[in-house]
Amino acid sequence: KEAVNTPPEGYLDQADCNIIGGWAKDNDTPNSFVTVEIYKDGPVGTGTLAATTLANLYRADVGQRAYHIDTPSAFKDGGSHSVYVYALDTTTNAKILLTQSPKTIYCPVGQPGLSLAKTVRNVTAGQTGFQESVTANPGDSVEFRMTVTNTGTATASNVIISDTLPTYFSGNPVSFNIGDLTTGQNRTVNLT
């Protein structure tokens, strides 16, 4: 008698702006991990393949059959998107839509976030490294370094650094337009 192939089974338990996860298994091959494919905005054939992973993570209720990934950036464009998750049959590679799939997620467009680090060194005293503060005598040349970093999830446009220097410096306040900063990008301005 020929063995009958049974399709894999599993769930899409979570789909949000942070995690897509659930579990999947194939009873025909209990010692093999199931490949999971995640599609955006439609089923296989019309949706776009957004990610592939293995259901090989441990979870107390399903053992080493769980999967979870960080939600791909393709879902984080400010629109509403459907998430279709399939388990691939370990014998035939047939794609089986998981229970509770599809789910719809909406991830608003990110926000820029700026951080600023300001340090200084006394050039006249021969300091080569920048510090939080320095001691300077009248007539000494000091150099300020201001580094701004976009720590957010969207581009920061038309970034301007403005600083008020101690009263004995001329030209207060000083401003620098450093343009746009993409996520993770930084720019440094030195002022002597």
Side-chain angles (χ1 to χ4, degrees), residues 8 16 26 29 36 48 73 89 114 148 153-154 157 164 189:
D16 57 36
D26 190 336
T29 53
V36 174
T48 303
S73 60
D89 189 297
L114 299 176
V148 63
T153 57
S157 301
T164 301
V189 173

Side-chain angles (χ1 to χ4, degrees), residues 118-142:
K118 182 179 173 186
T119 53
V120 64
R121 68 180 177 176
N122 187 328
V123 177
T124 302
Q127 293 177 337
T128 56
F130 286 85
Q131 305 169 27
E132 293 287 322
S133 64
V134 295
T135 302
N137 296 315
D140 282 358
S141 178
V142 294

Side-chain angles (χ1 to χ4, degrees), residues 3-188:
V4 176
N5 185 61
T6 57
E9 59 182 340
Y11 277 78
L12 170 58
D13 293 327
Q14 179 180 1
D16 57 36
C17 295
N18 299 311
I19 297 288
I20 295 174
W23 64 270
K25 67 179 182 175
D26 190 336
N27 290 324
D28 293 329
T29 53
N31 295 323
S32 297
F33 298 120
V34 173
T35 298
V36 174
E37 292 184 346
I38 299 166
Y39 286 80
K40 175 186 166 197
D41 294 334
V44 171
T46 60
T48 303
L49 180 62
T52 301
T53 190
L54 280 179
N56 65 350
L57 303 174
Y58 179 80
R59 207 171 82 183
D61 59 336
V62 296
Q64 200 165 351
R65 299 288 181 236
Y67 66 90
H68 76 266
I69 64 165
D70 293 338
T71 301
S73 60
F75 291 97
K76 299 178 182 180
D77 61 1
S80 182
H81 298 285
S82 55
V83 180
Y84 287 78
V85 180
Y86 291 86
L88 275 64
D89 189 297
T90 55
T91 305
T92 67
N93 277 337
K95 298 176 187 196
I96 307 301
L97 186 65
L98 295 182
T99 303
Q100 296 183 359
S101 179
K103 290 184 182 287
T104 300
I105 61 174
Y106 168 72
C107 301
V109 174
Q111 296 293 318
L114 299 176
S115 69
L116 176 69
K118 182 179 173 186
T119 53
V120 64
R121 68 180 177 176
N122 187 328
V123 177
T124 302
Q127 293 177 337
T128 56
F130 286 85
Q131 305 169 27
E132 293 287 322
S133 64
V134 295
T135 302
N137 296 315
D140 282 358
S141 178
V142 294
E143 182 180 10
F144 293 93
R145 173 175 285 173
M146 295 171 280
T147 301
V148 63
T149 304
N150 182 354
T151 58
T153 57
T155 297
S157 301
N158 196 30
V159 177
I160 297 173
I161 297 175
S162 181
D163 193 19
T164 301
L165 300 174
T167 55
Y168 45 84
F169 286 93
S170 60
N172 276 320
V174 294
S175 295
F176 304 93
N177 186 331
I178 59 172
D180 297 345
L181 290 176
T182 59
T183 299
Q185 186 179 20
N186 65 55
R187 294 231 175 85
T188 299

